[in-house]
Amino acid sequence: IFFDQLPTVWDETRVIQGTIGESAIVARRHGDTWFVGCMNSATARTLKLPLGFLVAGISYEATRFSDDKTVKTRTHVKIETLPVDASTTLDVPLAANGGAALILTPNLKKK
């Protein structure tokens, strides 16, 4: 699902946070949609992802793809959706040597 939507050309790229050898969060925009990738090293951790880069006053739907060994699929990827906006800060739990990805799609209505 994620790779079906992933563009190959970007309008904007932002490094949200990162520590060499530990973890990184990068957000890339194509049109009105943001794609966020989170990477982690050998120690499990939870990162904070502030969404202040989103357009203020617009609500978004976040589709999150994350490692979850309890999911009964070959890839063990949990997919969930949640409402977010520019004031939201998400907790992103990352498994050791794991990662997460998000697609942030605007609802195009004022919140």
XYZ file of all heavy atoms in Angstrom:
849
model
N 0.833 -1.194 0.000
C 0.000 0.000 0.000
C 0.873 1.252 0.000
O 0.645 2.160 -0.767
C -0.956 0.002 1.205
C -1.932 -1.162 1.115
C -1.702 1.309 1.302
C -2.757 -1.361 2.355
N 1.886 1.282 0.884
C 2.737 2.462 0.982
C 3.482 2.714 -0.322
O 3.469 3.825 -0.858
C 3.735 2.300 2.141
C 4.664 3.470 2.304
C 4.244 4.608 2.961
C 5.944 3.440 1.788
C 5.089 5.707 3.108
C 6.803 4.518 1.926
C 6.368 5.648 2.586
N 4.113 1.683 -0.867
C 4.930 1.861 -2.065
C 4.087 2.178 -3.294
O 4.571 2.811 -4.231
C 5.818 0.638 -2.305
C 6.903 0.510 -1.276
C 6.865 -0.504 -0.342
C 7.935 1.421 -1.219
C 7.852 -0.610 0.623
C 8.932 1.322 -0.263
C 8.887 0.296 0.667
N 2.832 1.775 -3.317
C 1.934 2.125 -4.421
C 1.692 3.626 -4.507
O 1.412 4.155 -5.572
C 0.589 1.410 -4.274
C 0.704 -0.082 -4.468
O 1.687 -0.539 -5.089
O -0.195 -0.805 -3.984
N 1.788 4.315 -3.360
C 1.528 5.758 -3.313
C 2.794 6.603 -3.349
O 2.720 7.815 -3.508
C 0.746 6.093 -2.035
C -0.607 5.427 -1.977
C -1.337 5.790 -0.709
O -1.475 6.963 -0.377
N -1.798 4.789 0.017
N 3.944 5.995 -3.196
C 5.201 6.721 -3.053
C 5.668 7.309 -4.384
O 5.951 6.573 -5.326
C 6.265 5.765 -2.498
C 7.549 6.370 -2.000
C 7.289 7.269 -0.796
C 8.519 5.275 -1.612
N 5.757 8.653 -4.469
C 6.236 9.267 -5.711
C 7.751 9.155 -5.846
O 8.453 8.810 -4.895
C 5.812 10.729 -5.565
C 5.681 10.954 -4.107
C 5.356 9.631 -3.474
N 8.249 9.480 -7.011
C 9.693 9.475 -7.251
C 10.254 10.891 -7.384
O 11.467 11.065 -7.457
C 10.026 8.692 -8.531
O 9.323 9.267 -9.622
C 9.648 7.228 -8.380
N 9.392 11.887 -7.409
C 9.796 13.286 -7.515
C 9.203 14.027 -6.317
O 8.038 13.830 -5.973
C 9.289 13.907 -8.834
C 9.663 15.369 -8.917
C 9.832 13.145 -10.030
N 10.019 14.889 -5.698
C 9.605 15.578 -4.481
C 9.597 17.085 -4.678
O 10.445 17.632 -5.383
C 10.532 15.209 -3.333
C 10.600 13.743 -3.112
C 11.588 12.890 -3.512
C 9.618 12.930 -2.483
N 11.282 11.603 -3.162
C 10.072 11.594 -2.516
C 8.388 13.190 -1.879
C 9.362 10.538 -1.982
C 7.679 12.128 -1.341
C 8.163 10.831 -1.390
N 8.670 17.763 -4.012
C 8.611 19.225 -4.023
C 9.403 19.833 -2.870
O 9.840 20.973 -2.947
C 7.151 19.700 -3.930
C 6.324 19.218 -5.109
O 6.823 19.302 -6.253
O 5.192 18.749 -4.895
N 9.568 19.062 -1.802
C 10.243 19.579 -0.609
C 10.713 18.401 0.241
O 10.043 17.373 0.315
C 9.253 20.429 0.195
C 9.787 21.104 1.403
C 8.766 22.009 2.093
O 7.625 22.135 1.605
O 9.121 22.571 3.132
N 11.872 18.586 0.883
C 12.402 17.583 1.809
C 12.822 18.286 3.085
O 13.454 19.346 3.028
C 13.618 16.849 1.205
O 13.204 16.176 0.013
C 14.206 15.845 2.170
N 12.466 17.707 4.234
C 12.877 18.258 5.528
C 13.415 17.136 6.411
O 12.795 16.089 6.531
C 11.697 18.910 6.249
C 11.176 20.130 5.551
C 10.197 20.828 6.422
N 9.547 21.909 5.700
C 8.827 22.840 6.274
N 8.632 22.809 7.579
N 8.274 23.783 5.549
N 14.551 17.396 7.021
C 15.057 16.494 8.052
C 14.442 16.977 9.355
O 14.705 18.086 9.808
C 16.598 16.516 8.121
C 17.089 15.642 9.271
C 17.187 16.064 6.795
N 13.581 16.150 9.943
C 12.880 16.538 11.160
C 13.778 16.382 12.371
O 13.834 17.249 13.236
C 11.584 15.706 11.343
C 10.700 15.796 10.084
C 10.826 16.120 12.590
C 10.276 17.199 9.703
N 14.481 15.263 12.440
C 15.444 15.049 13.514
C 16.338 13.878 13.151
O 15.986 13.065 12.290
C 14.753 14.797 14.859
C 13.900 13.554 14.904
C 13.300 13.332 16.276
O 13.978 12.781 17.153
N 12.078 13.764 16.457
N 17.466 13.818 13.817
C 18.356 12.698 13.574
C 19.602 12.781 14.428
O 20.056 13.866 14.773
N 20.109 11.615 14.772
C 21.363 11.484 15.486
C 22.155 10.402 14.757
O 21.668 9.269 14.609
C 21.125 11.069 16.962
O 20.286 12.048 17.581
C 22.436 10.962 17.714
N 23.347 10.763 14.299
C 24.155 9.832 13.519
C 24.357 8.537 14.302
O 24.702 8.547 15.475
C 25.509 10.472 13.152
C 25.278 11.644 12.194
C 26.454 9.441 12.525
C 26.498 12.472 11.907
N 24.098 7.424 13.649
C 24.262 6.113 14.247
C 23.125 5.681 15.153
O 23.170 4.584 15.709
N 22.090 6.531 15.315
C 20.992 6.181 16.208
C 19.642 6.149 15.496
O 19.016 5.106 15.394
C 20.923 7.140 17.391
C 22.065 6.965 18.362
C 21.929 7.837 19.585
O 20.822 8.373 19.842
O 22.938 8.001 20.294
N 19.178 7.304 15.027
C 17.844 7.373 14.437
C 17.726 8.611 13.553
O 18.532 9.540 13.649
C 16.775 7.420 15.533
O 16.947 8.584 16.330
N 16.691 8.593 12.712
C 16.433 9.745 11.843
C 14.965 9.759 11.445
O 14.330 8.713 11.322
C 17.299 9.681 10.591
N 14.450 10.981 11.260
C 13.113 11.181 10.694
C 13.248 12.192 9.565
O 13.758 13.295 9.767
C 12.100 11.700 11.722
C 11.921 10.707 12.876
C 10.753 11.971 11.048
C 10.977 11.185 13.963
N 12.780 11.800 8.374
C 12.819 12.664 7.198
C 11.413 12.743 6.619
O 10.722 11.732 6.494
C 13.800 12.115 6.134
C 13.775 12.964 4.870
C 15.207 12.037 6.699
N 10.980 13.966 6.278
C 9.664 14.184 5.669
C 9.863 14.734 4.270
O 10.681 15.626 4.054
C 8.844 15.161 6.510
N 9.097 14.199 3.315
C 9.168 14.664 1.930
C 7.754 14.932 1.442
O 6.838 14.156 1.713
C 9.852 13.622 1.051
C 11.272 13.323 1.529
C 11.976 12.392 0.631
N 12.763 13.205 -0.298
C 13.550 12.713 -1.231
N 13.642 11.414 -1.405
N 14.228 13.504 -2.019
N 7.606 16.055 0.726
C 6.291 16.468 0.243
C 6.211 16.325 -1.264
O 7.125 16.693 -1.995
C 6.014 17.925 0.630
C 4.641 18.418 0.202
C 4.418 19.854 0.640
N 5.423 20.774 0.086
C 5.410 21.264 -1.144
N 4.460 20.933 -2.002
N 6.362 22.094 -1.536
N 5.077 15.796 -1.717
C 4.726 15.754 -3.134
C 3.317 16.335 -3.229
O 2.366 15.727 -2.729
C 4.766 14.319 -3.663
C 4.396 14.221 -5.110
N 5.278 14.525 -6.124
C 3.238 13.873 -5.708
C 4.672 14.353 -7.282
N 3.431 13.961 -7.055
N 3.204 17.521 -3.819
C 1.905 18.199 -3.839
C 1.499 18.574 -2.428
O 2.270 19.183 -1.701
N 0.294 18.164 -2.024
C -0.206 18.462 -0.677
C 0.029 17.315 0.308
O -0.371 17.409 1.463
C -1.713 18.740 -0.727
C -2.052 20.004 -1.501
O -1.213 20.934 -1.505
O -3.144 20.064 -2.082
N 0.642 16.240 -0.151
C 0.803 15.049 0.677
C 2.246 14.923 1.157
O 3.184 15.113 0.385
C 0.399 13.787 -0.110
O -0.962 13.928 -0.527
C 0.544 12.537 0.723
N 2.397 14.596 2.440
C 3.704 14.384 3.037
C 3.944 12.898 3.269
O 3.026 12.170 3.655
C 3.816 15.116 4.378
C 4.004 16.584 4.244
C 3.018 17.534 4.177
C 5.237 17.283 4.156
N 3.574 18.780 4.057
C 4.931 18.659 4.046
C 6.576 16.895 4.166
C 5.927 19.630 3.946
C 7.559 17.866 4.065
C 7.230 19.219 3.955
N 5.162 12.471 3.041
C 5.605 11.105 3.278
C 6.742 11.186 4.291
O 7.713 11.928 4.069
C 6.096 10.455 1.985
C 5.011 10.318 0.953
C 4.645 11.390 0.155
C 4.342 9.107 0.799
C 3.625 11.270 -0.787
C 3.330 8.977 -0.147
C 2.971 10.061 -0.939
N 6.616 10.465 5.390
C 7.591 10.545 6.472
C 8.216 9.170 6.674
O 7.512 8.159 6.769
C 6.933 11.022 7.782
C 7.964 11.103 8.904
C 6.241 12.374 7.581
N 9.538 9.135 6.736
C 10.262 7.903 7.015
C 11.019 8.029 8.320
O 11.657 9.056 8.573
N 10.936 7.004 9.157
C 11.626 6.971 10.444
C 12.505 5.728 10.471
O 12.031 4.638 10.171
C 10.622 6.900 11.588
S 9.318 8.151 11.519
N 13.777 5.906 10.817
C 14.731 4.793 10.852
C 15.366 4.713 12.229
O 15.575 5.747 12.871
C 15.841 5.015 9.831
C 15.364 5.133 8.404
S 16.740 5.516 7.312
C 16.721 7.306 7.406
N 15.700 3.501 12.640
C 16.261 3.304 13.963
C 17.445 2.345 13.923
O 17.521 1.475 13.074
C 15.172 2.753 14.899
C 15.584 2.802 16.341
O 16.322 3.670 16.757
N 15.113 1.846 17.119
N 18.329 2.497 14.909
C 19.491 1.606 15.026
C 19.166 0.438 15.952
O 18.006 0.058 16.100
C 20.692 2.396 15.549
O 20.429 2.837 16.880
N 20.155 -0.095 16.622
C 20.028 -1.344 17.375
C 19.287 -1.238 18.706
O 19.028 -2.245 19.333
C 21.421 -1.928 17.608
N 18.964 -0.040 19.150
C 18.268 0.131 20.430
C 16.837 0.606 20.183
O 16.631 1.639 19.544
C 19.003 1.171 21.310
O 20.357 0.743 21.493
C 18.332 1.333 22.647
N 15.864 -0.135 20.702
C 14.466 0.289 20.580
C 14.283 1.637 21.278
O 14.905 1.897 22.316
C 13.543 -0.758 21.191
N 13.450 2.487 20.691
C 13.209 3.811 21.277
C 11.896 4.358 20.739
O 11.367 3.866 19.756
C 14.375 4.759 20.984
C 14.470 5.188 19.527
C 15.723 5.995 19.196
N 16.823 5.078 18.934
C 17.969 5.067 19.592
N 18.192 5.927 20.545
N 18.908 4.204 19.287
N 11.406 5.407 21.373
C 10.228 6.124 20.894
C 10.655 7.551 20.583
O 11.226 8.239 21.438
C 9.102 6.124 21.942
O 8.699 4.770 22.162
C 7.907 6.922 21.461
N 10.406 7.974 19.346
C 10.745 9.328 18.923
C 9.492 10.198 18.937
O 8.378 9.700 18.771
C 11.334 9.315 17.515
C 12.617 8.518 17.316
C 13.049 8.581 15.854
C 13.726 9.030 18.215
N 9.691 11.479 19.130
C 8.615 12.465 19.028
C 8.656 13.036 17.619
O 9.711 13.448 17.147
C 8.799 13.597 20.038
C 8.770 13.151 21.480
C 7.364 12.876 21.912
C 7.326 12.591 23.412
N 6.014 12.164 23.849
N 7.495 13.068 16.962
C 7.387 13.611 15.607
C 6.436 14.798 15.624
O 5.220 14.637 15.562
C 6.890 12.545 14.633
C 6.526 12.983 13.217
C 7.689 13.692 12.534
C 6.059 11.801 12.396
N 6.970 16.036 15.731
C 6.113 17.214 15.669
C 5.693 17.464 14.217
O 6.513 17.394 13.306
C 7.012 18.336 16.199
C 8.407 17.866 15.926
C 8.370 16.362 15.944
N 4.419 17.739 14.016
C 3.900 17.918 12.654
C 3.725 19.387 12.296
O 2.880 19.746 11.477
C 2.578 17.150 12.501
C 2.681 15.648 12.739
C 1.322 14.983 12.554
C 3.719 15.021 11.822
N 4.545 20.248 12.858
C 4.480 21.680 12.588
C 4.764 22.056 11.145
O 4.485 23.182 10.732
N 5.285 21.144 10.345
C 5.539 21.418 8.926
C 4.260 21.335 8.089
O 4.240 21.755 6.933
C 6.613 20.475 8.362
C 6.316 19.017 8.519
C 5.573 18.336 7.573
C 6.788 18.325 9.628
C 5.303 16.987 7.722
C 6.525 16.974 9.786
C 5.771 16.305 8.832
N 3.171 20.799 8.664
C 1.891 20.745 7.941
C 1.268 22.136 7.868
O 1.592 23.019 8.669
C 0.921 19.795 8.650
C 1.352 18.329 8.748
C 0.332 17.533 9.561
C 1.534 17.726 7.372
N 0.351 22.339 6.927
C -0.328 23.626 6.777
C -1.268 23.833 7.957
O -2.133 22.981 8.234
C -1.108 23.685 5.448
C -1.878 24.982 5.336
C -0.167 23.509 4.263
N -1.096 24.944 8.670
C -1.957 25.261 9.806
C -3.396 25.459 9.332
O -3.643 25.998 8.249
C -1.455 26.517 10.514
N -4.354 25.010 10.144
C -5.763 25.187 9.822
C -6.345 24.094 8.943
O -7.531 24.112 8.631
N -5.513 23.139 8.529
C -5.983 22.027 7.692
C -5.865 20.745 8.510
O -4.853 20.517 9.172
C -5.122 21.885 6.413
C -5.178 23.145 5.564
C -5.526 20.661 5.598
C -6.497 23.398 4.887
N -6.891 19.904 8.470
C -6.785 18.601 9.126
C -6.253 17.591 8.108
O -6.488 17.710 6.914
C -8.130 18.162 9.690
O -9.078 18.002 8.659
N -5.526 16.627 8.609
C -4.899 15.596 7.782
C -5.289 14.225 8.310
O -5.616 14.065 9.486
C -3.365 15.709 7.836
C -2.797 16.895 7.121
C -2.893 18.173 7.657
C -2.135 16.759 5.905
C -2.362 19.270 7.003
C -1.595 17.853 5.246
C -1.717 19.099 5.802
O -1.183 20.187 5.157
N -5.201 13.241 7.441
C -5.300 11.859 7.867
C -3.904 11.267 7.785
O -3.264 11.321 6.735
C -6.243 11.061 6.974
C -6.332 9.598 7.394
C -7.278 8.801 6.535
O -6.827 8.318 5.474
O -8.451 8.694 6.915
N -3.438 10.713 8.896
C -2.134 10.054 8.925
C -2.349 8.557 8.800
O -3.103 7.974 9.579
C -1.407 10.382 10.224
N -1.704 7.959 7.829
C -1.677 6.503 7.717
C -0.287 6.079 8.147
O 0.710 6.481 7.532
C -1.964 6.037 6.278
O -3.230 6.562 5.873
C -1.987 4.518 6.195
N -0.232 5.316 9.239
C 1.060 4.932 9.810
C 1.312 3.448 9.558
O 0.450 2.611 9.784
C 1.100 5.222 11.307
C 2.399 4.819 11.929
C 2.670 5.278 13.336
N 1.547 5.486 14.193
C 1.634 6.130 15.357
N 2.778 6.642 15.758
N 0.575 6.279 16.111
N 2.530 3.141 9.113
C 2.998 1.779 8.868
C 4.143 1.534 9.845
O 5.152 2.241 9.795
C 3.513 1.632 7.433
C 2.505 2.027 6.381
C 2.330 3.358 6.018
C 1.728 1.060 5.751
C 1.408 3.724 5.047
C 0.808 1.412 4.779
C 0.641 2.744 4.436
N 3.994 0.554 10.733
C 5.022 0.333 11.746
C 5.235 -1.147 12.007
O 4.347 -1.979 11.788
C 4.654 1.049 13.046
O 3.396 0.616 13.520
N 6.432 -1.480 12.501
C 6.762 -2.854 12.864
C 5.882 -3.298 14.027
O 5.715 -2.560 15.001
C 8.230 -2.957 13.304
C 9.204 -2.613 12.207
O 8.964 -3.039 11.061
O 10.207 -1.942 12.496
N 5.303 -4.487 13.913
C 4.504 -5.033 15.004
C 4.478 -6.551 14.852
O 3.779 -7.088 13.997
C 3.089 -4.458 14.974
C 2.259 -4.875 16.179
O 2.577 -5.893 16.828
O 1.277 -4.180 16.465
N 5.247 -7.233 15.694
C 5.361 -8.693 15.590
C 4.046 -9.415 15.858
O 3.896 -10.581 15.516
C 6.444 -9.204 16.521
C 7.818 -8.772 16.084
C 8.894 -9.383 16.947
C 10.215 -8.786 16.539
N 11.171 -9.747 16.123
N 3.060 -8.734 16.450
C 1.770 -9.379 16.730
C 0.854 -9.413 15.511
O -0.143 -10.128 15.507
C 1.031 -8.676 17.878
O 0.654 -7.350 17.475
C 1.889 -8.614 19.130
N 1.182 -8.639 14.465
C 0.375 -8.640 13.245
C 0.624 -9.948 12.503
O 1.767 -10.314 12.234
C 0.709 -7.420 12.361
C -0.024 -7.491 11.038
C 0.361 -6.130 13.087
N -0.433 -10.628 12.165
C -0.333 -11.971 11.576
C -0.193 -11.919 10.053
O -0.979 -12.504 9.319
C -1.568 -12.805 11.951
C -1.805 -12.916 13.423
C -0.808 -13.825 14.080
C -1.214 -14.038 15.520
N -0.141 -14.247 16.409
N 0.818 -11.186 9.583
C 1.134 -11.169 8.159
C 2.610 -11.509 7.993
O 3.380 -11.493 8.965
C 0.869 -9.792 7.515
O 1.756 -8.822 8.102
C -0.584 -9.363 7.695
N 3.017 -11.765 6.778
C 4.410 -12.112 6.495
C 5.362 -10.984 6.893
O 6.468 -11.227 7.374
C 4.546 -12.438 5.003
C 5.929 -12.865 4.569
C 5.961 -13.295 3.106
N 5.282 -12.393 2.209
C 5.837 -11.322 1.644
N 7.088 -11.021 1.884
N 5.139 -10.561 0.832
N 4.943 -9.723 6.702
C 5.821 -8.588 6.966
C 5.710 -8.040 8.384
O 6.547 -7.251 8.797
C 5.520 -7.441 5.984
O 4.154 -7.060 6.136
C 5.810 -7.858 4.550
N 4.679 -8.434 9.127
C 4.457 -7.944 10.493
C 4.412 -6.416 10.546
O 5.018 -5.795 11.413
C 5.521 -8.478 11.462
C 5.595 -9.964 11.491
N 4.605 -10.761 12.023
C 6.540 -10.826 11.014
C 4.934 -12.023 11.900
N 6.099 -12.100 11.275
N 3.673 -5.817 9.603
C 3.527 -4.360 9.561
C 2.111 -3.995 9.975
O 1.128 -4.475 9.401
C 3.827 -3.804 8.150
C 3.504 -2.317 8.074
C 5.280 -4.043 7.796
N 2.023 -3.152 10.981
C 0.739 -2.647 11.456
C 0.397 -1.393 10.656
O 1.252 -0.522 10.462
C 0.836 -2.314 12.944
C -0.439 -1.767 13.543
C -0.220 -1.486 15.023
C -1.461 -0.959 15.673
N -1.233 -0.693 17.117
N -0.853 -1.299 10.189
C -1.315 -0.125 9.457
C -2.467 0.476 10.242
O -3.439 -0.205 10.564
C -1.772 -0.492 8.037
C -0.637 -1.166 7.264
C -2.273 0.757 7.293
C -1.060 -1.748 5.928
N -2.341 1.755 10.561
C -3.397 2.454 11.290
C -3.565 3.853 10.741
O -2.639 4.414 10.148
C -3.084 2.489 12.784
C -1.777 3.179 13.118
C -1.384 3.051 14.580
O -2.252 3.095 15.455
O -0.184 2.922 14.831
N -4.760 4.404 10.907
C -5.003 5.783 10.481
C -5.476 6.590 11.680
O -6.153 6.059 12.578
C -6.061 5.859 9.361
O -7.279 5.298 9.829
C -5.600 5.131 8.115
N -5.100 7.869 11.668
C -5.517 8.758 12.740
C -5.569 10.184 12.233
O -4.834 10.549 11.311
C -4.584 8.626 13.944
C -3.094 8.791 13.739
C -2.463 9.344 14.999
C -2.490 7.440 13.439
N -6.451 11.006 12.824
C -6.517 12.407 12.435
C -5.381 13.191 13.092
O -5.054 12.964 14.256
C -7.879 12.855 12.974
C -8.137 11.954 14.138
C -7.467 10.647 13.809
N -4.777 14.096 12.322
C -3.694 14.935 12.834
C -3.820 16.325 12.218
O -4.561 16.544 11.261
C -2.293 14.354 12.517
C -2.091 13.007 13.196
C -2.076 14.227 11.020
N -3.062 17.259 12.768
C -2.934 18.590 12.183
C -1.573 19.155 12.565
O -0.758 18.454 13.181
C -4.097 19.511 12.594
C -4.183 19.748 14.089
O -3.142 19.701 14.785
O -5.297 19.989 14.581
N -1.327 20.405 12.230
C -0.009 21.008 12.449
C 0.369 21.107 13.927
O 1.551 21.209 14.256
C 0.050 22.389 11.803
N -0.611 21.043 14.827
C -0.308 21.133 16.256
C -0.032 19.767 16.898
O 0.331 19.691 18.066
C -1.465 21.812 16.998
O -2.619 20.991 16.982
N -0.169 18.700 16.130
C 0.004 17.345 16.650
C 1.482 16.983 16.775
O 2.285 17.316 15.908
C -0.668 16.319 15.706
O -2.044 16.651 15.548
C -0.530 14.904 16.228
N 1.816 16.297 17.858
C 3.114 15.643 18.003
C 2.828 14.168 18.231
O 2.144 13.808 19.189
C 3.928 16.218 19.175
O 4.202 17.597 18.919
C 5.247 15.472 19.352
N 3.313 13.333 17.331
C 3.087 11.892 17.428
C 4.244 11.206 18.141
O 5.403 11.562 17.933
C 2.964 11.275 16.030
C 1.761 11.667 15.191
C 1.886 11.069 13.792
C 0.479 11.193 15.855
N 3.916 10.221 18.963
C 4.930 9.314 19.481
C 5.131 8.236 18.422
O 4.156 7.665 17.921
C 4.465 8.660 20.779
C 4.538 9.608 21.960
O 5.359 10.546 21.931
O 3.773 9.410 22.919
N 6.382 7.980 18.065
C 6.699 6.961 17.060
C 7.589 5.907 17.713
O 8.800 6.084 17.824
C 7.401 7.577 15.829
C 7.669 6.507 14.784
C 6.592 8.719 15.244
N 6.987 4.808 18.185
C 7.802 3.737 18.743
C 8.524 2.982 17.638
O 7.915 2.632 16.622
C 6.794 2.828 19.456
C 5.451 3.253 19.007
C 5.576 4.546 18.273
N 9.811 2.766 17.826
C 10.630 2.085 16.823
C 11.314 0.881 17.447
O 11.971 0.994 18.488
C 11.682 3.037 16.252
C 11.148 4.273 15.529
C 12.283 5.224 15.198
C 10.394 3.879 14.280
N 11.161 -0.264 16.811
C 11.840 -1.475 17.256
C 13.335 -1.338 16.975
O 13.760 -0.524 16.154
C 11.279 -2.683 16.504
N 14.132 -2.141 17.651
C 15.565 -2.190 17.348
C 15.742 -2.557 15.883
O 15.095 -3.480 15.383
C 16.244 -3.219 18.247
N 16.571 -1.800 15.186
C 16.821 -1.978 13.754
C 15.532 -1.914 12.924
O 15.438 -2.526 11.874
C 17.558 -3.296 13.490
C 18.892 -3.324 14.179
O 19.669 -2.376 14.091
N 19.166 -4.384 14.907
N 14.559 -1.164 13.405
C 13.265 -1.061 12.724
C 13.008 0.328 12.190
O 13.894 1.180 12.138
N 11.775 0.535 11.829
C 11.402 1.823 11.293
C 9.902 1.979 11.224
O 9.145 1.095 11.634
N 9.487 3.107 10.706
C 8.072 3.406 10.507
C 7.969 4.369 9.333
O 8.932 5.070 8.997
C 7.461 4.023 11.760
N 6.797 4.384 8.720
C 6.535 5.319 7.624
C 5.125 5.859 7.808
O 4.243 5.176 8.330
C 6.664 4.614 6.279
N 4.934 7.104 7.380
C 3.617 7.726 7.459
C 3.302 8.428 6.157
O 4.208 8.975 5.500
C 3.562 8.767 8.588
C 3.726 8.250 10.001
C 5.148 8.461 10.461
C 2.784 8.963 10.926
N 2.035 8.428 5.809
C 1.532 9.237 4.710
C 0.537 10.208 5.324
O -0.408 9.788 5.994
C 0.840 8.384 3.628
C 1.805 7.352 3.053
C 0.294 9.286 2.513
C 1.150 6.359 2.105
N 0.771 11.502 5.142
C -0.080 12.544 5.703
C -0.829 13.225 4.569
O -0.247 13.962 3.773
C 0.776 13.553 6.471
C 1.683 12.947 7.544
C 2.683 13.961 8.051
C 0.858 12.389 8.678
N -2.132 12.956 4.509
C -2.970 13.441 3.416
C -3.940 14.491 3.934
O -4.664 14.230 4.903
C -3.766 12.267 2.807
O -2.858 11.221 2.468
C -4.520 12.700 1.573
N -3.985 15.688 3.311
C -4.904 16.723 3.793
C -6.361 16.361 3.511
O -6.672 15.759 2.488
C -4.486 17.960 3.003
C -3.865 17.432 1.758
C -3.224 16.126 2.146
N -7.226 16.742 4.459
C -8.672 16.563 4.250
C -9.233 17.685 3.390
O -10.360 17.616 2.938
C -9.399 16.496 5.585
C -9.106 15.197 6.309
O -8.911 14.164 5.678
N -9.060 15.261 7.627
N -8.449 18.751 3.195
C -8.806 19.914 2.376
C -10.065 20.612 2.843
O -10.759 21.245 2.086
C -8.917 19.518 0.903
C -7.622 18.942 0.294
C -7.825 18.546 -1.150
C -6.481 19.936 0.411
N -10.342 20.503 4.137
C -11.400 21.261 4.772
C -10.790 21.978 5.955
O -9.891 21.450 6.601
C -12.530 20.344 5.279
C -13.215 19.543 4.215
C -14.340 18.746 4.840
C -13.783 17.461 5.395
N -14.810 16.536 5.853
N -11.278 23.154 6.265
C -10.813 23.833 7.473
C -11.229 23.009 8.673
O -12.304 22.437 8.701
C -11.415 25.240 7.587
C -10.924 26.203 6.530
C -9.546 26.688 6.881
C -9.099 27.723 5.852
N -7.750 28.121 6.005
N -10.346 22.928 9.647
C -10.708 22.134 10.830
C -11.569 22.929 11.770
O -11.771 24.087 11.656
C -9.479 21.616 11.545
C -8.572 22.679 12.103
C -7.486 22.045 12.902
C -6.831 23.165 13.707
N -5.907 22.759 14.634
